[in-house]
Amino acid sequence: MHILHCDLDAFFASVEQRDHPELKGKPVVIGAPPNSRGVVSTCSYEARQYGIRSAMPSSQAYRLCPQAVFLPPDMKRYQEESRKVFNILAEYTPVIEALSIDEAFLDLSGSHSIWGSSMAIGHHIRHRVKSELGLNISVGISTNKFLAKLATNLCKPDGIMEFTDQMVVDLLPTLSVDNLWGIGSVSAQRLNHSGIYTVQDLLDAPEQLITSLLGSNTGFILGLAKGIDNRPVTPYEETKSIGNEITFPKNVSDSLAIEQVLLRLSEKVAYRLRRAQLKSHTITVKLRTPDFHTLSRSKTCPTAVNDSRSIFDVARMLYQQSGQEGKPLRLVGLTAGRLQGSEYEQLSLFANSGPDISSVIDRLNQKYTSGTIIPASLLDNHERNQ
DNA sequence: TCTGGGGTCCTAGGACCC
DNA sequence: TCTGGGGTCCTAGGACCC
């Protein structure tokens, strides 16, 4: 039992309730405002009693509980609190895999001689996060990642649980299939349609049927169903893509307005690439129509780039070739993929000379609000005249 | 009821190469 | 005139996770 999973309870909402005592005991919803097109990011357990859930449209959350307090997320604060939590975790093992801002796996195989059993470490962590940061963190312990996370999900909020070998035999088979990592709503529905509802149903079904429903994931999923998961705790994963997207308050048809948005997204993505010392070979533009149909168009270039001009040029071309010019859109996104370290950059035979304007912009952006400084040379005349 | 934003991974067809 | 087999890369779409 050397894998520990921990998950901060209703993290964003808990930080707000801790810092604003008048919110304690009240339904608090962190996310987009109710009159917008956004969704709920997190909500307090009081709000969950009304049926409010993460990813639910804020408008629906409002209808379920009009008296709820709706707050926009303050990601800077949450990042800071998250950092403090991870600093505590790092005292118990160097092998930590962050799953998100509020969740992590710890491999404790080297920690027992100093700190005792996994259960003892779990209690330690929970006590310290509570007393030092005023936050509840739930802890699951088991022999692998899947079972540890399952334990957390079963014991939260404010709980600790060890998922034992006996529970693999007695409890796991009784759970619904969507408890398995990788079974989302589509796969769950597919399985249900074939009469498969529980993990036991899955184990009893002919493997050929499961393969026809789940494809190449079948082996991994059937392993989980038996409590087997050989994935290691991996402290560092290389970034594969960097992207930003925006959903408009109202659909936008004007192609010049869309191009301006693409320009701002290019600047944002380029800045993030440079901060990560990365360049990208593949630019992808994502467009979503009012009927929620999503298209993507991508282009791979021989030279990797991380300046907004190059990215914007590709993005604009992809938009213009998408057949969506002048048509209403509800979302526009831009992603840079096929990344490589910019320090290994090959010198182009025809490299541009001249001052590196990007680094000047980066310094200004760091000083002021990120993404606000855009060189006028990137703007077309019609934009400058507006 | 009306669906965010950040990602990862997989599939499948077509181009292209040997 | 009729045409393989293996491999890689690119593109588009979609499921899934937090």
Side-chain angles (χ1 to χ4, degrees), chain A residues 70-339:
Chain A
F70 286 79
L71 295 173
D74 183 355
M75 292 312 294
K76 251 191 171 165
R77 293 267 353 268
Y78 310 150
Q79 286 287 359
E80 177 60 20
E81 291 305 302
S82 171
R83 199 187 52 76
K84 292 178 190 167
V85 173
F86 277 85
N87 281 342
I88 291 176
L89 300 181
E91 293 185 31
Y92 298 93
T93 175
V95 190
I96 300 177
E97 177 179 344
L99 266 154
S100 68
I101 191 168
D102 62 355
E103 233 182 295
F105 285 113
L106 280 66
D107 186 331
L108 300 176
S109 7
S111 309
H112 299 307
S113 58
I114 307 168
W115 298 102
S117 69
S118 295
M119 188 51 93
I121 295 172
H123 281 298
H124 249 265
I125 289 170
R126 278 172 44 72
H127 178 257
R128 289 196 55 192
V129 172
K130 182 72 183 177
S131 62
E132 293 174 28
L133 304 174
L135 298 169
N136 289 336
I137 188 164
S138 295
V139 168
I141 294 158
S142 196
T143 49
N144 63 48
K145 284 202 208 178
F146 166 60
L147 296 176
K149 185 166 162 65
L150 197 52
T152 309
N153 290 339
L154 292 172
C155 75
K156 73 191 328 193
D158 200 18
I160 180 165
M161 180 193 279
E162 183 170 309
F163 206 95
T164 62
D165 294 344
Q166 194 57 46
M167 292 164 83
V168 173
V169 178
D170 298 337
L171 178 60
L172 179 57
T174 68
L175 301 177
S176 59
V177 284
D178 58 357
N179 282 285
L180 300 173
W181 203 92
I183 301 289
S185 58
V186 174
S187 298
Q189 272 205 323
R190 244 178 243 165
L191 291 166
N192 291 351
H193 216 77
S194 297
I196 298 164
Y197 297 92
T198 66
V199 171
Q200 186 63 56
D201 293 341
L202 193 71
L203 291 169
D204 291 342
E207 191 167 335
Q208 208 175 9
L209 171 65
I210 308 299
T211 305
S212 73
L213 297 170
L214 302 180
S216 70
N217 222 2
T218 303
F220 176 66
I221 300 282
L222 287 178
L224 297 185
K226 297 172 194 156
I228 301 166
D229 176 11
N230 295 320
R231 293 171 301 168
V233 177
T234 37
Y236 173 76
E237 288 284 352
E238 220 164 271
T239 304
K240 305 237 167 50
S241 67
I242 288 176
N244 287 96
E245 62 185 53
I246 180 165
T247 294
F248 307 125
K250 287 181 173 173
N251 298 339
V252 176
S253 304
D254 179 20
S255 55
L256 295 182
I258 296 290
E259 287 184 16
Q260 285 189 29
V261 172
L262 282 172
L263 177 59
R264 271 146 195 84
L265 291 173
S266 301
E267 167 62 18
K268 251 187 170 175
V269 169
Y271 176 61
R272 292 178 61 199
L273 283 170
R274 292 195 294 269
R275 264 212 335 199
Q277 296 194 21
L278 292 168
K279 288 190 168 193
S280 163
H281 277 285
T282 306
I283 302 300
T284 303
V285 168
K286 175 170 157 184
L287 307 171
R288 181 169 289 152
T289 57
D291 63 1
F292 221 70
H293 182 70
T294 307
L295 320 83
S296 70
R297 293 292 179 269
S298 64
K299 171 101 187 121
T300 297
C301 305
T303 323
V305 295
N306 64 9
D307 66 286
S308 39
R309 173 88 252 179
S310 306
I311 293 172
F312 175 60
D313 284 345
V314 176
R316 178 158 63 174
M317 183 206 70
L318 289 168
Y319 168 61
Q320 288 171 347
Q321 292 175 352
S322 71
Q324 295 298 313
E325 264 191 306
K327 295 183 183 171
L329 295 172
R330 65 173 287 146
L331 171 148
V332 172
L334 175 61
T335 297
R338 262 202 63 189
L339 306 179

Side-chain angles (χ1 to χ4, degrees), chain A residues 23-67:
Chain A
L23 296 177
K24 280 184 182 148
K26 288 190 183 166
V28 175
V29 177
I30 312 297
N35 57 352
S36 76
R37 279 174 156 181
V39 300
V40 173
S41 181
T42 327
C43 61
S44 67
Y45 280 89
E46 294 84 355
R48 293 180 199 199
Q49 288 179 348
Y50 294 86
I52 299 175
R53 294 286 179 271
S54 293
M56 171 184 285
S58 294
S59 55
Q60 192 184 346
Y62 179 76
R63 278 192 301 276
L64 287 171
C65 181
Q67 70 272 31

